[in-house]
Amino acid sequence: MALQQVLAGQHVLAGRRVLLLQGPSSRFFTELGLALRARGADVARVGFCPGDRLYWTDRAGRYIAYRGQRGAGPDALRAGLA
């Protein structure tokens, strides 16, 4: 990917899928999701607590609320992404 494409905001991430799992309780992931989508990526975020949803907007991508048991993470994640 050329730097000129990124700076021009072209859809250099078209066809790419990005999964956001953990981050600070802030607007950081929302801003990241918006930037990734602006460049063509399909974005999903898994939220583990109400604070994760508080700062997320649907314009930034799909939100998946994790409601499973602590040890069931990988299986629940696979089911949620299917």
Side-chain angles (χ1 to χ4, degrees):
M1 157 179 21
L3 179 60
Q4 291 81 11
Q5 290 175 307
V6 174
L7 295 176
Q10 295 177 355
H11 294 283
V12 295
L13 297 177
R16 301 284 182 143
R17 300 168 84 187
V18 179
L19 177 63
L20 304 174
L21 289 175
Q22 295 221 219
S25 185
S26 70
R27 293 193 45 81
F28 174 77
F29 266 3
T30 298
E31 298 298 326
L32 179 59
L34 290 168
L36 291 168
R37 287 194 60 178
R39 285 157 182 81
D42 179 28
V43 178
R45 176 173 187 186
V46 177
F48 295 96
C49 70
D52 291 338
R53 181 65 178 145
L54 177 67
Y55 291 103
W56 188 254
T57 176
D58 291 336
R59 291 180 299 126
R62 185 171 139 204
Y63 184 83
I64 303 166
Y66 180 75
R67 293 188 170 98
Q69 296 289 328
R70 192 177 288 233
D75 292 333
L77 184 59
R78 278 192 224 47
L81 293 175

